């Protein structure tokens, strides 16, 4: 689903439905529709076969679901085959895999039809040689989704085909297919189109799929500019590599991080949803197990709190926290501590507007949030949100807001930065319209930079450094899609090899490693020159500072030797009791102190200062 305001300026605000309310919650179900016609099985110039790359996309989504969720479901339907496998008995429609949680067996089956597999679709299922109703394919999808008892969550169809105008000469079949597709939309099923340019033919959505996707339909009065706009391959992939990338972008389901009111002024509120657009990806939660009779049994984890002095087991309601204040201890229970954190109800409150030029990137202290209007809480939110966004983009303004995402959350100051919708050359949305919330620091968060002195470079050294920078200049912007976390990729590859009984993986491609061969060729003349310029100053500095360094080392040696002489009498032969009497317990080591405390039958503290106080308390009680 792409965020867009293209259809939000009608006479009436969007109608809130139950499907809209539950769209971003629950399970994610993806049903792949793969065209298996003859054109999809012809190798392209690079040797890749479109239908096999489509199965690579299915495998990629399945592996992602395996690692990220244990409840999301994926299914695969083939159409254009000679064989059939579906409950209604439609010809040329084959359900390869019903909607279900991906398993190792299902992934292996999909992998066998992929680019690296040895199975051939034509041999297994054949190819249809006659026209068949595309509406029956959508009908089969509706049957599958209707069988699911849980209606909440996202339900999507990933349609991969190179036929941009099915039923070109059969109006009845064409209208029936369009109606079936619209019926899917009415029950909350979203169709994602992945059109392919094959055989030199440019995929044209306007011929058929725009009506299904609620796009613009050309008329006899449409001018040439409008016709060119709808003919653009908005859902088409120029090559198969782009198809795989687009499927990867579409596969994550959109879950909101918060849903709160946005207070623009006194008495003026709209609803918004917030999304995490950048989160560090982790390996996921592991499970502790143990082996019992050659079977894995899950370990039940329990946390027990004990008193450090008496080792008495404590209940959670007995535990409190304290902060040291003026030499004392201010104690709070859990409820009191939560009240200290809560300063306002969850909301986003607008304070005012600023010029975008006052923003500084280094003031961001957390990942940004992306907010989008929520029509389910306040009707008219979308229209108001869109008007505010367009105005701020036009005037180049940034909003300053007070932000409390949840009830138990801290209140933050955020910058509300407008974000314009961006489409690529194929008409595919690469950046949705909305606002990004950037957390800003409080006055308490600012840390002063320690004063330091640096040596200023000469003009010749500056020119030498410029030569190195120019050679290493990157023409393109940083794109996160070009860099995958090598640690995570190795982790996933190992899990995949174990689950699918594949060859053991020892290493994976690492795009974060510099390309040294290319760098050496670029810098073969610049680096030696810069090194010669810097070494000249280094040798001079070494000569100037050598004498002072020697004097400092001599003074440090003298100080160290004096400290050793002062501590030499306090060796292990001296007892803790003697050190207590001489008030030299701080000269004893932590292991010595802990051993002595244990000998007294008491559990030792962890910090040295606490250990000394513990020993003093024990010896003070002795006669």
């Amino acid at each position: 689903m792409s965020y867009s305001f293209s259809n939000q300026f009608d006479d009436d605000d969007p109608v809130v439905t139950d499907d809209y309310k539950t769209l971003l919650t629950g399970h994610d179900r993806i049903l792949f529709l793969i065209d298996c016609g003859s054109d999809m099985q012809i190798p392209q110039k690079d040797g890749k076969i479109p239908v096999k790359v489509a199965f690579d996309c299915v495998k990629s989504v399945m592996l992602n679901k395996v690692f990220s969720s244990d409840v999301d479901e994926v299914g695969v339907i083939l159409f254009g085959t000679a064989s059939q496998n579906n409950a209604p008995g439609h010809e040329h429609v084959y359900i390869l895999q019903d909607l279900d949680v991906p398993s190792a067996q299902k992934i292996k089956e999909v992998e066998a039809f992929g680019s690296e597999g040895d199975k051939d679709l034509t041999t297994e299922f054949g190819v249809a040689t006659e026209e068949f109703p595309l509406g029956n394919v959508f009908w089969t999808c509706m049957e599958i989704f209707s069988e699911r008892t849980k209606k909440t969550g996202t339900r999507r169809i990933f349609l991969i085909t190179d036929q941009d105008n099915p039923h070109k000469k059969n109006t009845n079949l064409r209208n029936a297919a369009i109606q079936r597709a619209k019926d899917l939309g009415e029950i909350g099923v979203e169709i994602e189109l992945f059109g392919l340019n094959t055989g030199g033919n440019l995929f044209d959505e306007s011929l058929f799929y725009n009506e299904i996707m609620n796009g613009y339909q050309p008329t006899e009065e449409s001018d040439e500019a409008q016709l060119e706009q709808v003919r653009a391959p908005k859902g088409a992939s120029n090559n198969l590599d782009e198809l795989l990338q687009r499927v990867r972008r579409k596969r994550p389901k959109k879950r909101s991080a918060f849903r709160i009111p946005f207070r623009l002024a006194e008495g003026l509120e709209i609803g918004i949803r917030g999304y995490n657009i950048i989160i560090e990806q982790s390996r996921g939660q592991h499970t502790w197990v143990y082996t019992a009779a050659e079977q894995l049994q899950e370990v039940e984890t329990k946390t027990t709190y004990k008193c450090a002095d008496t080792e008495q087991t404590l209940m959670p309601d007995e535990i409190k926290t304290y902060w040291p204040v003026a030499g004392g201890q201010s104690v709070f229970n859990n409820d009191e501590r939560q009240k200290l954190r809560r300063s306002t109800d969850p909301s986003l409150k607008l304070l005012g507007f600023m010029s975008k030029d006052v923003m500084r990137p280094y003031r961001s202290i957390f990942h940004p949030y992306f907010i989008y209007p929520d029509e389910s809480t306040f009707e008219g939110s979308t229209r108001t949100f869109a008007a505010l966004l367009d105005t701020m983009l036009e005037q180049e303004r940034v909003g300053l807001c007070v932000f409390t995402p949840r009830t138990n959350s801290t209140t933050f100051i955020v910058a509300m930065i407008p974000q314009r919708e961006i489409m690529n050359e194929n008409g595919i949305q690469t950046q949705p319209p909305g606002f990004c919330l950037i957390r800003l620091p409080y006055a308490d968060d600012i840390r002063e930079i320690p004063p330091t002195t640096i040596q200023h470079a000469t003009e010749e050294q500056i020119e030498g450094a410029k030569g190195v920078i120019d050679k290493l200049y990157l023409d393109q912007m940083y794109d996160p899609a070009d860099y995958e976390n090598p640690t995570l990729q190795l982790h996933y590859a190992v899990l995949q090899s174990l689950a699918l009984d594949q060859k053991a993986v020892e290493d994976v491609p690492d795009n974060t490693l510099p390309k040294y061969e290319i760098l050496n060729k670029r810098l073969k003349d610049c680096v030696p020159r810069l090194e010669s310029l810097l070494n000249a100053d280094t040798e001079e500095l070494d000569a100037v500072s050598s004498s002072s360094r020697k004097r400092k080392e001599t003074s440090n040696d003298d100080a160290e030797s004096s400290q050793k002489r002062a501590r030499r009498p306090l060796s292990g032969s001296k007892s803790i009791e003697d050190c207590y009497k001489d008030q030299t317990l701080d000269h004893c080591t932590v292991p010595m102190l802990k051993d002595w405390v244990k000998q007294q039958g008491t559990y030792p503290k962890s910090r040295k200062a606490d250990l000394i106080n513990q020993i003093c308390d024990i010896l003070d009680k002795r006669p």
Side-chain angles (χ1 to χ4, degrees), residues 350-366:
L350 179 65
L351 298 180
F353 299 96
M354 308 177 296
S355 171
K356 70 174 185 178
D357 298 331
V358 304
M359 293 299 301
R360 298 293 182 268
Y362 55 81
R363 288 178 178 167
S364 175
I365 59 176
F366 198 64

Side-chain angles (χ1 to χ4, degrees), residues 356-418:
K356 70 174 185 178
D357 298 331
V358 304
M359 293 299 301
R360 298 293 182 268
Y362 55 81
R363 288 178 178 167
S364 175
I365 59 176
F366 198 64
H367 69 73
Y369 293 100
F370 177 79
I371 61 173
Y372 196 72
D374 180 19
E375 197 73 21
S376 63
T377 53
F378 293 92
E379 293 188 6
S381 296
T382 303
R383 183 181 299 277
T384 307
F385 189 95
L388 178 63
L389 175 64
D390 292 341
T391 304
M392 291 178 63
L393 286 171
E394 180 181 354
Q395 299 183 2
E396 297 184 346
R397 292 290 186 263
V398 173
L400 187 66
C401 305
V402 177
F403 174 51
T404 308
R406 288 172 296 277
T407 302
N408 60 347
S409 174
T410 307
T411 299
F412 307 105
I413 299 293
V414 295
M416 187 177 67
I417 301 178

Side-chain angles (χ1 to χ4, degrees), residues 478-496:
Y478 169 74
D479 186 358
D482 296 334
Y483 301 93
E484 293 182 325
N485 187 330
T487 303
L488 282 180
Q489 295 308 312
L490 179 60
H491 175 71
Y492 293 154
V494 171
L495 294 182
Q496 177 180 336

